[in-house]
């Protein structure tokens, strides 16, 4: 068979419509193998691009396929379901055309077929239709697919389990109500039992389906947790398959984000430490859900943020911030670090000592950073600075920070210096006090107030000594000084 490159169209007589006019009579041929071959050819064409899929719809072929799907043998049923899937995958409009010609009822009947291959082909087509949006997903639910898909995940064939779990995931993802129909059919318990199945592709789909259920609400997340997925799901974070790792992290993230109690349950199960190890063992987008999960946990409360710190989450997030080439992953790491550092001076110090602040500042200042990365870096800097009393981390900012961030840095010095004599002395010897005198602040501004508070911590002559132009004043005095002569 001729193979086509991506941008080459196959040779088609009179375009797509010509092919359909050739294949359509073959679907009605008296010889079953010709019917099946014609259906497979249609499926491959429709799968190839949306123009050809459109031609299947316009060529009035779908009603014929739907009719045959109910009547013919298992080989033909598989081929016909393949065509429906190939047409439906391209767009909501094409999927709607399949619904409009009454295919859903027939596909649902195929889910009860004796042959596992027919069940699989039907489940696959239903999943592809449901994937597009809530309306199409609801149509699949209304046709009665969900209880039968739940039966399919209990069948012995791994391929059928995979496709049925994938279809349940596609149905659940759009809304809490759709996810609830999947839950009401008893899906969670059967999905949870397969978390430790040795088949990686099945695990991917199972974890995805549980994530798509848990993400919608506290109630649904709690139902997933009640199926006793902890601690077994943590073993998936060590899986050799990258997408099993990613989907397991996503599931844990979708549970953690809802409430402090659910996050605490994950901490107690060892989930935070396991996610941090997982982030360390992979790269790129596989890391993303784990990074976000740490941010969600830390955002809930001081204690939960401290649990992330104790499990050595901050150095790992700092590595992601520096190492990852993609801006959206850096932005997630910046956001998570901001959530950890924003609670108390102790939290802020834990972030500051990893030398994260200068990295965040350079990402914020860089013209090459995406807008989202700049916004998240700036917010993280502000969150951490407003709690940070660890002065060695703040001092470089006196020299490098733009005015909108400098204000927060000077503000922190004005809070700490009045109560710490050792810090006051260090601030002079390190050049900090001199630098503060060089800052040009608007009279009456908050920044000027902060500078005044710092200056009030020192004797007036010290402040004068470090003020710009003071050495010139001294030199003038030398010039005009008349020594006393004996």
């Amino acid at each position: 068979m001729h193979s086509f490159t991506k941008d080459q169209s196959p040779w088609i007589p009179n375009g797509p419509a010509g092919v359909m006019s050739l294949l359509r009579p073959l679907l009605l041929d008296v010889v079953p193998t010709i019917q099946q071959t014609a259906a497979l050819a249609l499926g491959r064409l429709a799968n190839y691009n949306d123009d050809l899929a459109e031609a299947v719809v316009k060529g009035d072929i779908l009603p014929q396929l739907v009719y045959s799907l109910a009547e013919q043998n298992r080989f033909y049923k598989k081929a016909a379901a393949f065509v429906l899937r190939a047409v439906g995958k391209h767009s909501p409009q094409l999927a709607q055309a399949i619904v409009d010609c009454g295919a859903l009822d027939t596909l649902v009947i195929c889910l009860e077929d004796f042959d596992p291959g027919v069940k699989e082909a039907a489940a696959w087509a239903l999943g592809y239709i449901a994937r597009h949006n809530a309306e199409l997903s609801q149509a699949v639910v209304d046709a009665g697919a969900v209880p039968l898909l739940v039966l399919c995940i209990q069948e012995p064939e791994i391929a059928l389990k995979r496709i049925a779990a994938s279809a349940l995931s596609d149905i659940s993802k759009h809304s809490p109500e759709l996810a609830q129909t999947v839950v009401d059919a008893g899906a969670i318990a059967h999905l949870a039992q397969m978390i430790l199945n040795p088949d990686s592709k099945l695990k991917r789909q199972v974890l995805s389906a549980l994530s798509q259920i848990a993400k919608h609400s506290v109630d649904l997340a709690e139902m997933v947790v009640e199926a006793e997925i902890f601690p077994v799901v943590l073993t998936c974070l060590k899986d050799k398959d990258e997408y099993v790792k990613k989907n397991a992290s996503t599931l844990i993230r979708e549970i953690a984000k809802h409430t402090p109690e659910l996050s605490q349950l994950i901490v107690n199960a060892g989930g935070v430490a396991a996610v941090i190890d997982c982030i360390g063992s992979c790269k790129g987008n596989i890391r993303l859900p784990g990074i976000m999960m740490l941010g969600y946990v830390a955002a809930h409360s001081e204690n939960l943020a401290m649990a992330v710190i104790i499990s050595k989450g901050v150095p790992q997030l700092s590595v992601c911030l520096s190492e990852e080439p993609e801006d959206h992953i850096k932005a997630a790491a910046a956001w998570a670090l901001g959530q950890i550092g924003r609670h108390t001076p102790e939290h802020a110090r834990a972030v500051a000592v990893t030398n994260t602040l200068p990295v965040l500042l350079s990402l914020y200042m860089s013209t090459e950073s995406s807008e989202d990365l700049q916004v998240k870096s700036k917010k993280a800097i502000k969150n951490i600075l407003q709690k940070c009393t660890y002065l060695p981390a703040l001092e470089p900012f006196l020299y490098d920070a733009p005015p909108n961030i400098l204000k927060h840095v000077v503000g922190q010095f004005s809070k700490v210096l009045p109560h710490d004599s050792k810090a006051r002395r260090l601030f002079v010897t390190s050049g900090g006090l001199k630098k503060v005198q060089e800052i040009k602040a608007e009279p009456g501004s908050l920044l000027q107030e902060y500078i005044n508070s710092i200056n009030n911590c020192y004797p007036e002559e010290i402040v004068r000594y470090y003020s710009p132009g003071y050495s010139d004043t001294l030199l003038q005095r030398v010039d005009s000084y008349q020594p006393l002569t004996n």
Side-chain angles (χ1 to χ4, degrees):
M1 186 179 168
H2 182 67
S3 63
F4 312 119
T5 58
K6 190 96 181 106
D7 39 12
Q8 230 182 357
S9 259
W11 175 81
I12 296 175
N14 310 323
V19 157
M20 300 313 147
S21 62
L22 287 177
L23 285 175
R24 193 162 173 244
L26 298 179
L27 288 173
L28 304 170
D29 200 277
V30 289
V31 182
T33 49
I34 291 178
Q35 289 183 352
Q36 288 150 32
T37 310
L40 274 174
L42 271 176
R44 285 184 185 139
L45 288 167
N47 207 22
Y48 180 75
N49 69 23
D50 47 0
D51 288 343
L52 289 159
E54 195 93 41
V56 172
V57 175
K58 289 198 175 122
D60 217 22
I61 286 169
L62 292 179
Q64 178 55 46
L65 283 170
V66 173
Y67 170 76
S68 306
L69 199 56
E71 301 295 318
Q72 296 281 3
N73 66 30
R74 62 201 169 105
F75 301 109
Y76 188 88
K77 284 178 178 172
K78 278 189 267 192
F82 168 53
V83 181
L84 294 174
R85 173 183 114 214
V87 171
K89 78 171 189 180
H90 293 290
S91 70
Q93 292 74 24
L94 287 164
Q96 188 61 53
I98 291 172
V99 174
D100 294 342
C101 72
L104 293 185
D105 291 340
T106 320
L107 285 168
V108 168
I109 291 166
C110 288
L111 287 178
E112 297 186 88
D113 199 274
F114 179 71
D115 184 81
V118 173
K119 285 181 181 158
E120 187 189 323
W124 211 336
L126 289 164
Y128 271 39
I129 294 164
R131 185 172 292 187
H132 293 293
N133 60 41
E135 290 73 32
L136 287 161
S137 203
Q138 189 62 55
V140 171
V141 169
D142 294 342
V146 173
L148 295 170
L149 287 168
V150 173
L151 286 173
C152 288
I153 58 174
Q154 299 167 63
E155 293 283 346
E157 291 80 16
I158 290 290
L160 178 55
K161 284 179 187 286
R162 281 183 203 152
I163 304 301
S166 171
L168 290 169
S169 177
D170 285 329
I171 292 167
S172 303
K173 72 181 181 182
H174 302 290
S175 73
E177 294 73 24
L178 285 160
Q180 191 64 54
T181 60
V182 172
V183 172
D184 292 342
I188 291 178
H190 297 294
L191 289 166
Q193 282 166 5
M194 294 190 285
I195 287 173
L196 293 180
N197 191 290
D199 184 78
S200 293
K201 286 181 180 160
L202 175 58
K203 272 189 287 203
R204 285 182 199 174
Q205 302 302 344
V206 164
L207 293 164
S208 167
L210 290 170
S211 305
Q212 299 291 11
I213 293 167
K215 74 178 184 182
H216 293 292
S217 70
V218 178
D219 288 346
L220 287 164
E222 284 176 347
M223 291 175 91
V224 171
V225 168
E226 281 160 16
E228 295 180 4
I229 62 164
F230 291 103
V232 288
V233 74
L234 302 181
T235 58
C236 296
L237 295 170
K238 294 189 172 78
D239 201 272
K240 60 185 185 300
D241 184 281
E242 297 279 82
Y243 288 98
V244 171
K245 281 184 183 178
K246 184 183 181 190
N247 292 2
S249 300
T250 304
L251 172 55
I252 298 166
R253 177 192 77 193
E254 297 297 12
I255 294 167
K257 73 179 184 186
H258 289 294
T259 64
E261 292 74 21
L262 284 166
S263 278
Q264 189 62 56
L265 181 142
I266 292 166
V267 170
N268 296 348
V272 166
V275 166
I276 292 165
D277 288 347
C278 177
I279 294 170
S281 74
C282 54
K283 293 270 182 285
N285 272 325
I286 308 295
R287 275 177 163 171
L288 187 58
I291 292 169
M292 291 173 70
M293 177 268 184
L294 295 177
Y296 280 129
V297 171
H300 286 305
S301 73
E302 279 179 31
N303 289 345
L304 286 162
M306 195 46 77
V308 176
I309 292 168
I310 290 164
S311 298
K312 302 195 170 43
V314 175
Q316 191 59 71
L317 287 168
S318 298
V319 166
C320 296
L321 190 69
S322 305
E323 272 186 9
E324 281 295 334
E326 300 273 352
D327 276 8
H328 69 284
I329 301 175
K330 285 183 189 288
W335 170 77
L337 287 161
Q339 296 305 322
I340 295 166
R342 73 182 175 84
H343 294 284
T344 69
E346 194 183 352
H347 290 79
R349 181 180 177 138
V351 177
V353 294
T354 59
N355 209 26
T356 295
L357 285 166
V359 180
L360 286 168
L361 183 64
S362 67
L363 291 170
Y364 167 54
M365 305 282 283
S366 170
T367 50
E368 287 174 14
S369 295
S370 67
E371 191 184 343
D372 183 50
L373 177 54
Q374 288 177 337
V375 168
K376 291 212 167 59
S377 297
K378 179 187 172 188
K379 187 90 169 74
I381 292 167
K382 251 171 90 170
N383 280 345
I384 297 160
L385 286 182
Q386 284 172 342
K387 286 286 188 274
C388 188
T389 55
Y390 179 60
L391 301 186
L394 293 179
E395 205 150 311
F397 274 64
L398 287 173
Y399 302 90
D400 304 330
N404 59 340
I405 288 176
L406 187 62
K407 177 177 71 185
H408 299 293
V409 178
V410 177
Q412 289 308 105
F413 278 106
S414 76
K415 286 180 202 165
V416 177
L417 292 174
H419 313 290
D420 188 336
S421 58
K422 211 162 139 197
R424 284 199 294 274
R425 181 185 168 79
L426 201 62
F427 194 57
V428 174
T429 55
S430 68
L433 185 63
K434 180 174 185 290
K435 180 66 193 161
V436 166
Q437 306 316 311
E438 294 165 10
I439 295 170
K440 292 176 176 55
E442 292 282 322
S445 65
L446 198 55
L447 180 55
Q448 188 60 61
E449 274 181 47
Y450 291 151
I451 293 171
N452 295 345
S453 301
I454 293 171
N455 289 346
N456 290 341
C457 297
Y458 295 95
E460 201 181 327
E461 58 272 27
I462 294 279
V463 176
R464 248 203 333 271
Y465 177 74
Y466 285 110
S467 295
Y470 184 67
S471 53
D472 296 341
T473 314
L474 287 180
L475 285 170
Q476 279 169 11
R477 283 177 61 186
V478 169
D479 291 343
S480 59
Y481 182 68
Q482 295 297 323
L484 292 169
T485 50
N486 289 329

